[in-house]
Amino acid sequence: MQYLLTLLFFSLVLGQQVPEENGVLILNDQNFEYVLKKYEFVLVDFYAHWCGHCHHLAPVFASAARQVRNQNVQFAKINCPQYEHLCRRFQVNGFPTLKLFGDGQLMMEYQGDRTEKAIVDWMRKKTNKGSVEAKSLDQLKKISESPNLVMVFFGEQKESYEFMQYFQFSQKNKHIPAMHTFNQNYANEMRVQVPSIVIYKPYDERKASITDNFEISYIEQFIKKHSYPVLMNFDIQTAKRIFKGDQPTLFLLQNSYTNQAEKQLRLALSKIKDQILICIANTDNKYGVRLMQYFGIQNDYLPQIVAFNPISESFNLLSEITKDGIINFTQSFLGLHQNPQKQDL
């Protein structure tokens, strides 16, 4: 009994007490319809207590719930062997099965990867209608501390041009959590200018603001610029961004024996960070090794700075790595990169 009391806590839903475990509502035949009608969207995990795959998914599902759930969106689960009639009603033939309900009706079944990121991204796309108005200062403080990039509009009135542009952008980019407020006291407490779009991010300087250009195209470029840390580590995600993009990139290729060059790169950051993407590739892992092979560089030549143009797949190399050398090399590359020349070792 003590174990159950520590495991579960209760939330009030339409006058009924609905047990909740790790941020996921526990459904049964008494509260099932109530929960679906109470919340605009509910993602339900139809599981079986004896199912190994269900046990594996449970912490992933709970972690996703903590990132997505709000006053309109909830995550819930139901034990099918205990409530067979409900699972048969929704044609659940295997475990676990995830189904999304909207306005009390079944919308669709989730068919994506069983990973936290995949579930979070899918739910945000399916349930996000654009920026939502903050109901309290606590809501704004909470979203500003998000582990993901988020954006908040601080303005004076809903009918303003600035807000219209921001809201249209939020509707087209539903993968980015967005909020807005027209409360001047909230803006003062958050120490931001009105009107402004503030980007909160879990890296670098933590926040960046737009205060003078609210065109959708500018917002898009601003978000793109701040979507990654100034100094990125090379992995599969950054590789996609760089090699499928159109922005020139400065790579530092190094291993654990040559990482003293990183200090010089960090000293140069303030002069080059707004001009070019910057990425560290550690050749002690497979992604760094592949990049080293792509550029035709051998271990004996590390550390090495590479300026890369993804449009022409051309690159220049710098071996003498100093702060001033990196700055001059970058500016020279960018000045020539309309017609760059490939230089091999």
Side-chain angles (χ1 to χ4, degrees):
M1 187 62 160
Q2 183 63 37
Y3 171 77
L4 290 176
L5 289 175
T6 57
L7 184 64
L8 303 178
F9 64 96
F10 294 89
S11 61
L12 190 64
V13 179
L14 288 177
Q16 290 211 5
Q17 296 219 323
V18 180
E20 183 178 317
E21 181 180 349
N22 295 326
V24 178
L25 301 177
I26 301 176
L27 303 181
N28 54 46
D29 50 8
Q30 278 81 43
N31 65 28
F32 191 89
E33 296 295 338
Y34 287 112
V35 170
L36 296 191
K37 290 177 181 177
K38 171 68 176 179
Y39 298 102
E40 187 174 1
F41 298 101
V42 183
L43 182 64
V44 179
D45 175 13
F46 293 87
Y47 76 99
H49 60 273
W50 43 257
C51 166
H53 292 298
C54 299
H55 287 291
H56 179 76
L57 178 64
V60 175
F61 192 72
S63 184
R66 287 191 290 271
Q67 294 188 54
V68 178
R69 65 187 300 216
N70 55 45
Q71 63 268 30
N72 299 316
V73 182
Q74 283 290 345
F75 281 51
K77 62 181 181 179
I78 185 165
N79 186 357
C80 285
Q82 191 172 357
Y83 303 103
E84 280 187 61
H85 61 288
L86 283 172
C87 297
R88 283 200 305 269
R89 173 181 163 191
F90 294 105
Q91 300 179 331
V92 175
N93 299 314
F95 308 116
T97 294
L98 306 183
K99 292 181 181 283
L100 178 62
F101 293 80
D103 296 322
Q105 302 297 317
L106 176 63
M107 291 175 59
M108 65 191 72
E109 182 174 326
Y110 175 76
Q111 302 283 2
D113 293 338
R114 303 293 175 85
T115 65
E116 178 184 332
K117 184 180 186 305
I119 294 172
V120 167
D121 289 348
W122 187 83
M123 279 294 287
R124 283 178 175 158
K125 288 178 183 177
K126 298 301 180 184
T127 64
N128 190 347
K129 295 182 177 180
S131 179
V132 296
E133 186 168 3
K135 302 297 183 183
S136 67
L137 181 60
D138 284 342
Q139 267 190 303
L140 288 172
K141 289 182 177 179
K142 185 176 180 180
I143 196 173
S144 73
E145 297 168 355
S146 169
N148 305 294
L149 183 143
V150 300
M151 57 184 184
V152 180
F153 177 85
F154 295 87
E156 296 176 338
Q157 55 184 350
K158 191 174 184 178
E159 295 76 19
S160 68
Y161 170 79
E162 293 87 355
F163 177 68
M164 289 296 101
Q165 293 293 100
Y166 167 79
F167 190 71
Q168 287 180 44
F169 178 82
S170 74
Q171 288 181 309
K172 293 178 180 178
N173 296 270
K174 295 179 180 179
H175 61 288
I176 305 173
M179 194 168 282
H180 60 269
T181 181
F182 307 108
N183 188 314
Q184 182 65 55
N185 292 331
Y186 292 174
N188 293 341
E189 288 289 337
M190 298 296 287
R191 298 181 181 180
V192 298
Q193 181 177 324
V194 173
S196 66
I197 298 172
V198 181
I199 309 301
Y200 294 99
K201 48 188 179 173
Y203 41 79
D204 297 339
E205 71 277 19
R206 281 291 301 172
K207 78 175 184 179
S209 302
I210 297 175
T211 59
D212 56 0
N213 187 339
F214 294 86
E215 294 289 337
I216 290 179
S217 58
Y218 182 79
I219 299 173
E220 184 175 295
Q221 289 302 314
F222 189 82
I223 293 289
K224 185 177 181 180
K225 174 184 174 182
H226 290 280
S227 292
Y228 290 83
V230 168
L231 190 58
M232 301 180 289
N233 289 316
F234 189 68
D235 56 24
I236 189 64
Q237 296 302 322
T238 52
K240 289 178 181 178
R241 181 193 185 194
I242 292 166
F243 286 91
K244 292 184 178 180
D246 57 4
Q247 294 179 275
T249 303
L250 194 74
F251 290 103
L252 168 61
L253 285 91
Q254 65 177 18
N255 56 37
S256 56
Y257 301 104
T258 63
N259 56 13
Q260 69 275 6
E262 186 175 327
K263 179 180 179 180
Q264 298 301 314
L265 177 60
R266 291 184 179 276
L267 290 172
L269 276 182
S270 62
K271 297 292 186 180
I272 64 174
K273 65 179 182 178
D274 294 324
Q275 304 171 14
I276 193 168
L277 298 179
I278 307 165
C279 190
I280 293 179
N282 193 322
T283 60
D284 293 331
N285 65 56
K286 62 181 180 181
Y287 300 113
V289 170
R290 290 176 186 173
L291 187 66
M292 186 171 63
Q293 292 170 344
Y294 177 81
F295 290 128
I297 298 172
Q298 298 178 356
N299 261 315
D300 292 344
Y301 290 92
L302 297 179
Q304 190 83 222
I305 292 281
V306 181
F308 173 65
N309 178 2
I311 297 176
S312 61
E313 296 187 350
S314 59
F315 60 89
N316 288 5
L317 305 173
L318 174 69
S319 297
E320 296 295 326
I321 300 176
T322 63
K323 171 191 169 184
D324 291 338
I326 293 170
I327 294 170
N328 293 333
F329 172 72
T330 302
Q331 293 173 345
S332 175
F333 176 76
L334 294 174
L336 295 173
H337 104 270
Q338 294 297 330
N339 184 27
Q341 297 295 316
K342 182 174 179 178
Q343 299 179 4
D344 294 319
L345 289 176

